[in-house]
Amino acid sequence: MAATDESLQGYGRTVANFAREAVAIVTWPQPGWRPIVPGTGNEGGIVEDSFLMQRRGEIQHAVNRAVGRSYITGWFADPATASEGRQPADTSRIYTHEANYHPDGGQIFSPRNGAAFVALLAKPGDDVSPDHFVAFYCDGSFGIHIDPGVWHQPVFPLDSSALFDDKQGRVHACIAIDFVTEFGCYLEVPLRP
């Protein structure tokens, strides 16, 4: 599905100008009957840096420099046999095994150099399943703000390598789902318009 402000309702919004766009930060939930003191619970701020997505053979790697983490986000062949030493036969789709959301804040991905990408998203709620996920195609002329609580993977570039500007909540709390463990499957994400 093409990413537009209309199609992204409930997931996030398009971002035309990374530098001017604010990340949504959420106040921590009230655990009991006593309220959160006004002006607290949302003071962690944001972090900003680059997010590198790079295909190495049949394996998709990601490096989030804003939070100092690296990940394998997918495979272009059977994940059990995928190899960095072998070029993928098919790059029109990728298999992924997990997604997560940040309850404390949103996240902005903005491509450098006009790199087209796909954002895999599902609306908030812990009772999520593979069929709730939607692949949004972004042509590279804009970025996206993923709202707090929205399930996502780091975005998937259509090219073998792409660098994104990344802005997100500094606390970086993550709630995750593992599709293989919970549902016995990988998600196949189309990487085309």
Side-chain angles (χ1 to χ4, degrees):
M1 168 182 301
T4 64
D5 281 328
E6 184 176 281
S7 68
L8 287 170
Q9 284 185 352
Y11 301 96
R13 62 185 180 277
T14 62
V15 171
N17 186 314
F18 177 80
R20 289 196 304 233
E21 192 70 30
V23 174
I25 300 295
V26 176
T27 299
W28 282 45
Q30 179 179 324
W33 62 270
R34 295 181 191 274
I36 301 290
V37 173
T40 69
N42 57 9
E43 302 164 278
I46 63 163
V47 291
E48 182 178 330
D49 207 321
S50 62
F51 210 128
L52 174 65
M53 315 301 180
Q54 188 172 47
R55 184 184 320 143
R56 294 186 207 148
E58 297 171 323
I59 302 172
Q60 182 72 41
H61 292 265
V63 178
N64 183 341
R65 294 181 178 133
V67 296
R69 303 246 173 106
S70 59
Y71 322 86
I72 291 177
T73 60
W75 301 267
F76 292 93
D78 180 345
T81 60
S83 167
E84 288 188 8
R86 190 172 42 243
Q87 289 306 305
D90 183 3
T91 59
S92 68
R93 50 84 185 117
I94 190 168
Y95 301 106
T96 192
H97 68 293
E98 70 93 26
N100 68 76
Y101 70 85
H102 309 299
D104 58 300
Q107 185 167 9
I108 297 173
F109 290 95
S110 186
R112 294 187 185 172
N113 303 318
F117 63 97
V118 171
L120 181 67
L121 308 174
K123 291 185 177 176
D126 281 358
D127 292 326
V128 68
S129 61
D131 61 313
H132 291 125
F133 284 81
V134 178
F136 290 93
Y137 171 76
C138 304
D139 68 7
S141 66
F142 58 88
I144 61 167
H145 177 283
I146 299 169
D147 288 344
V150 169
W151 292 94
H152 64 282
Q153 257 284 20
V155 297
F156 299 108
L158 275 57
D159 293 333
S160 62
S161 181
L163 190 61
F164 292 80
D165 288 316
D166 173 43
K167 204 182 311 188
Q168 62 189 99
R170 182 178 301 277
V171 174
H172 191 234
C174 288
I175 309 288
I177 183 173
D178 183 316
F179 300 119
V180 176
T181 301
E182 290 188 44
F183 299 99
C185 69
Y186 290 88
L187 287 190
E188 182 177 339
V189 182
L191 296 181
R192 58 185 176 276

